[in-house]
Amino acid sequence: GMENYQDIQNLLQSTGAVAAMSSEALLETPNLFQESSTQITTPQERFRQQTDFAKEYLRICATKGPPLPGVGSSSFSVVRNHLFKFLHRYIHSEQPDLRDRLAGTNGKHSIRTISQARELVEDLEERYASLSDDEWNALSSTAPHASWYRRHRKPERHVHQKVLSVPVHDTRTGIEERKREIKNRIEDLKKRRLSRERGQSSVLM
């Protein structure tokens, strides 16, 4: 899979492709295709990045409107879904009350508007503001498996495998060979079908 910028580079190098497409990882880290995303090296920096994603997204929603037509809860559900992905590693297990508020299952404290969503992000930031480096490193949210991208994977499962560097020309040669094999199989199937048709014609005559 493509979880980070280096994964993309490994993919392009090993396949010889000129482009790559992502889905899941982009929902959590929209800057996936930017080399600057590799500059995140501490839990504090990652936290700041994810909350900044959430705040910038809410700013866009407030000025441009929700990303889908409609008003009220039907439209806010789209906003809610994006916030869940940006903030997953923090609210999923460490801040379950914020998770429930965002999910709309916390009664009168549930989040249903853009302004309430901003307040939730601010609340989240305040809860982590005074942590020491040791406290940050002890949090479950710092573990790789805490991300949205790895949410369905067991902690002991390795997401990345060693990527073997394959020269581009070798990869293309393999593709051409595969194309020839498929072409030959198609020609063989055509010959068999023609032979059967001729046989059936002889019987009818």
Side-chain angles (χ1 to χ4, degrees):
M2 294 190 300
E3 183 178 15
N4 52 54
Y5 181 81
Q6 189 55 53
D7 289 342
I8 299 170
Q9 303 312 304
N10 291 340
L11 175 69
L12 296 178
Q13 180 182 15
S14 62
T15 63
V18 297
M21 182 172 66
S22 173
S23 56
E24 284 284 290
L26 278 173
L27 294 173
E28 182 176 18
T29 51
N31 65 344
L32 176 68
F33 287 95
Q34 298 177 2
E35 188 173 2
S36 59
S37 64
T38 61
Q39 297 172 3
I40 301 298
T41 59
T42 69
Q44 296 95 318
E45 291 173 344
R46 183 165 300 283
F47 178 80
R48 191 179 308 114
Q49 171 185 263
Q50 297 308 121
T51 53
D52 282 349
F53 285 152
K55 289 188 290 187
E56 175 63 11
Y57 176 71
L58 290 173
R59 184 194 67 78
I60 294 172
C61 288
T63 56
K64 304 296 184 181
L68 288 179
V71 294
S73 60
S74 62
S75 228
F76 188 74
S77 63
V78 179
V79 177
R80 179 184 288 116
N81 288 337
H82 280 287
L83 292 179
F84 264 121
K85 296 169 178 64
F86 295 144
L87 307 175
H88 174 81
R89 67 166 66 231
Y90 308 106
I91 66 175
H92 179 66
S93 58
E94 292 179 352
Q95 309 296 338
D97 63 311
L98 296 186
R99 177 198 62 204
D100 293 343
R101 283 171 58 189
L102 184 58
T105 60
N106 201 11
K108 65 178 182 180
H109 299 294
S110 296
I111 304 299
R112 292 186 173 86
T113 66
I114 298 294
S115 60
Q116 290 175 338
R118 286 201 195 97
E119 292 174 359
L120 180 139
V121 177
E122 291 172 358
D123 190 352
L124 180 66
E125 289 178 316
E126 290 177 3
R127 297 186 185 193
Y128 289 83
S130 59
L131 296 182
S132 66
D133 289 346
D134 289 340
E135 288 173 325
W136 270 108
N137 291 326
L139 293 174
S140 61
S141 58
T142 63
H145 65 267
S147 70
W148 165 263
Y149 183 82
R150 301 196 191 195
R151 68 195 183 283
H152 295 311
R153 296 178 173 86
K154 295 181 179 180
E156 66 273 13
R157 178 180 173 183
H158 295 289
V159 175
H160 303 293
Q161 296 179 345
K162 184 177 180 181
V163 179
L164 298 178
S165 178
V166 180
V168 173
H169 62 83
D170 286 350
T171 302
R172 291 177 179 172
T173 300
I175 294 174
E176 292 302 321
E177 290 178 353
R178 181 61 178 160
K179 287 181 178 179
R180 283 195 294 271
E181 290 177 2
I182 294 174
K183 184 177 180 180
N184 290 337
R185 288 179 60 185
I186 292 174
E187 291 297 327
D188 185 53
L189 290 172
K190 287 181 178 179
K191 291 178 180 179
R192 292 181 184 181
R193 185 179 64 182
L194 182 60
S195 178
R196 287 196 301 270
E197 292 174 351
R198 288 175 176 173
Q200 292 173 356
S201 298
S202 298
V203 172
L204 292 174
M205 292 174 64

